[in-house]
Amino acid sequence: MTQTLKTKVLIIGAGTGGYVAGIRCGQLGLDTVLVDGGDGLGGTCLNVGCIPSKAIIHAAGKFETVTKAAGGGTLGITAAAPAIDLSQTVEWKDGIVRKLNAGVAALLKKAKVKVIKGWAEFADAKTCVVKTDEGDIRITAEHVILATGSEPVELPFLPFGGDVISSTEALSLSEVPKKLVVVGGGYIGLELGIAYRKLGAEVAIVEMADRILPLYDKALTDPVAKWLEKHGVELHLGARAGGFGDGKLSITTKDGEPLQLDADKVLVTVGRRPRTQGWGLENMGVAMAGPFVKIDQRCATSMKNVWAVGDLTGEPMLAHKGSAQGEVVAEIIAGHDRIFDPVTIAAVCFTEPEIVSAGLGPNEVAGRDDVIQSVFPFAAIGRALAIEAGEDGGFLRVIANKGDHRILGIQAVGQHVSELSNSFAQMLEMGAVLEDVAGTIHVHPTLGEAFHEASLRALGHAIHI
């Protein structure tokens, strides 16, 4: 027998967009049902993406530090050669995920959000049937928030399975592969490829573009390329992957030559696509924008009282974008006057070194004579040198209008620069000018001093260069 349920708000997807929307709806007193049919509470980010990958990256960094200490010493510290039991590392990572899952569940319960574990399928825009272990539940809602997220793109000639893995499987391997080939030189492939290189794997990267991280300007990615070269990561740029069999991946090089790469595991990270299949989107009558659900500034779809947030709505596919959209939609449903119109959504690559970009980059302002670009090297920052973060070619760049000095973009590459990303976004969101940054006393010694110095340099009077 099918159970029936009516609610004010129905949210499909429990990722960073969906669960945040649910909590905010609950805070605003809206009767809310959240259907979790994917990776679990927290979605891709918490379970098989952002959080677990950063945990593995952190562990890899620790392992690399001890390896350096064993290989002749570092900072006067010596140690015995380290060993790693990756299954224990993965169990530690899983423990973090379980703790965060429980935290999200507690927050939803506190907000009085009803969570249903199961897979939803829509018959029309406001009605779906959720298949659960206890039977089917038919839900009708006044408002529907679609937050189904995204999934890894699978190549037809390299289907996932066995030793061909996605980022999900790469975060739960029981041992470090001797030889890992990464297909795709974007941020996901590089983050995981670098982590496994630190853990001792021989790593090769196959990328169709002529350089790694092609969405970022070359100056930002050069320090990462230098790290890869220094640490023996094999780069095949302008190359195309083919089939995999008998422990060998076939590729075609930039020159059109066939080549076989030995691989114990092939990690395919050629992008992500919105999760639009299998839950009845085609029955909802919403307009599309290419592969994505089309929304306006209110995150409203073409169907009245149907909303969409997160990866389903297009680039950038970032967790913090989905969360911000989820809050906006909840407040609109509650009667608040809101739109989703950020000045910037900062993006971070947790590579070695890390990359941050917020606002306009040099490629977007190329040829313009009405902008100032100012770069300050981390090698001139005391804190960077004291934590071995200043000699990898890292720098911080500020781009501003020449006339009124309004800041248009901020980028940085260097160790630990991800922690500067919120400062960058805040300055852009507040419409700061160079003088605002220059007039703010920055704490010494910190990496953030580079932001201060780059702004001073743009004004013509940097102190430490």
Side-chain angles (χ1 to χ4, degrees):
M1 183 177 174
T2 301
Q3 181 184 346
T4 59
L5 193 63
K6 290 187 178 182
T7 185
K8 174 80 172 181
V9 182
L10 169 63
I11 304 170
I12 306 298
T16 48
Y19 90 73
V20 170
I23 291 170
R24 190 69 184 114
C25 283
Q27 290 173 341
L28 292 164
L30 302 173
D31 182 30
T32 304
V33 172
L34 172 65
V35 177
D36 168 23
D39 301 302
L41 295 178
T44 293
C45 176
L46 193 156
N47 293 277
V48 293
C50 319
I51 301 301
S53 68
K54 302 316 164 282
I56 296 295
I57 288 167
H58 175 71
K62 293 283 190 184
F63 186 82
E64 182 192 36
T65 298
V66 182
T67 302
K68 283 181 181 178
T74 178
L75 310 178
I77 303 167
T78 56
I84 185 165
D85 182 340
L86 191 60
S87 62
Q88 288 189 31
T89 308
V90 167
E91 176 55 34
W92 165 75
K93 176 266 295 182
D94 289 343
I96 295 169
V97 170
R98 286 192 295 271
K99 184 181 292 186
L100 291 171
N101 280 147
V104 171
L107 291 169
L108 288 165
K109 183 178 180 180
K110 180 182 177 183
K112 297 182 172 56
V113 175
K114 182 177 178 61
V115 177
I116 298 175
K117 179 76 175 173
W119 192 256
E121 184 159 350
F122 280 84
D124 58 46
K126 306 289 173 55
T127 309
C128 75
V129 173
V130 181
K131 297 188 177 301
T132 76
D133 292 340
E134 288 76 39
D136 293 354
I137 304 174
R138 185 175 184 271
I139 306 174
T140 58
E142 186 179 332
H143 293 266
V144 173
I145 303 175
L146 303 176
T148 55
S150 62
E151 58 197 2
V153 170
E154 185 176 48
L155 295 172
F157 49 87
L158 275 177
F160 294 130
D163 292 327
V164 178
I165 60 176
S166 72
S167 56
T168 297
E169 293 77 35
L171 294 169
S172 293
L173 294 178
S174 58
E175 59 184 18
V176 177
K178 189 172 185 298
K179 294 179 182 291
L180 173 69
V181 177
V182 180
V183 178
Y187 76 95
I188 297 174
L190 281 177
E191 286 183 2
L192 293 174
I194 288 170
Y196 274 105
R197 181 70 193 106
K198 289 181 177 182
L199 291 171
E202 295 177 36
V203 176
I205 294 172
V206 180
E207 166 58 44
M208 285 178 59
D210 59 2
R211 61 184 184 84
I212 58 169
L213 297 167
L215 296 180
Y216 293 89
D217 67 89
K218 188 173 181 297
L220 274 183
T221 61
D222 274 350
V224 179
K226 288 175 183 173
W227 189 96
L228 296 173
E229 182 181 3
K230 180 180 177 182
H231 292 82
V233 175
E234 199 177 310
L235 275 181
H236 297 276
L237 300 175
R240 291 178 178 271
F244 174 72
D246 298 324
K248 293 183 183 297
L249 176 71
S250 300
I251 72 167
T252 305
T253 69
K254 187 177 184 179
D255 300 324
E257 297 294 323
L259 188 64
Q260 299 264 300
L261 300 179
D262 291 333
D264 297 309
K265 298 288 182 184
V266 177
L267 170 58
V268 179
T269 58
V270 294
R272 296 183 65 85
R273 64 185 173 207
R275 191 177 279 126
T276 56
Q277 302 297 313
W279 48 272
L281 176 63
E282 63 278 6
N283 299 326
M284 300 185 73
V286 300
M288 303 295 289
F292 302 105
V293 170
K294 186 177 182 180
I295 58 170
D296 62 15
Q297 281 190 311
R298 300 164 70 241
C299 300
T301 71
S302 58
M303 182 65 68
K304 182 177 173 59
N305 291 348
V306 176
W307 317 82
V309 302
D311 290 0
L312 188 64
T313 65
E315 298 288 354
M317 288 185 173
L318 298 171
H320 41 290
K321 181 197 80 171
S323 295
Q325 288 178 318
E327 287 188 68
V328 166
V329 170
E331 292 176 8
I332 290 172
I333 293 172
H336 299 194
D337 184 14
R338 291 292 309 277
I339 60 171
F340 181 71
D341 185 26
V343 172
T344 186
I345 302 173
V348 176
C349 295
F350 290 85
T351 44
E352 186 66 58
E354 295 174 350
I355 295 173
V356 177
S357 182
L360 299 181
N363 294 339
E364 287 87 0
V365 298
R368 287 177 55 175
D369 58 8
D370 63 336
V371 298
I372 309 166
Q373 293 194 47
S374 171
V375 171
F376 195 86
F378 282 111
I381 296 294
R383 172 67 172 164
L385 295 178
I387 59 173
E388 299 182 285
E391 297 179 357
D392 54 11
F395 64 87
L396 190 148
R397 178 203 295 133
V398 175
I399 299 173
N401 269 324
K402 192 175 288 184
D404 62 7
H405 294 174
R406 187 168 300 278
I407 298 173
L408 303 175
I410 316 159
Q411 295 83 41
V413 56
Q415 291 183 49
H416 311 297
V417 295
S418 58
E419 296 301 329
L420 300 177
S421 57
N422 296 315
S423 174
F424 296 172
Q426 182 182 41
M427 284 295 182
L428 286 164
E429 196 67 42
M430 294 177 69
V433 295
L434 292 169
E435 287 83 356
D436 291 323
V437 184
T440 300
I441 298 174
H442 284 64
V443 173
H444 175 77
T446 62
L447 297 179
E449 289 178 277
F451 192 10
H452 186 236
E453 289 280 5
S455 300
L456 289 174
R457 193 175 195 186
L459 292 168
H461 52 88
I463 301 298
H464 290 97
I465 199 167

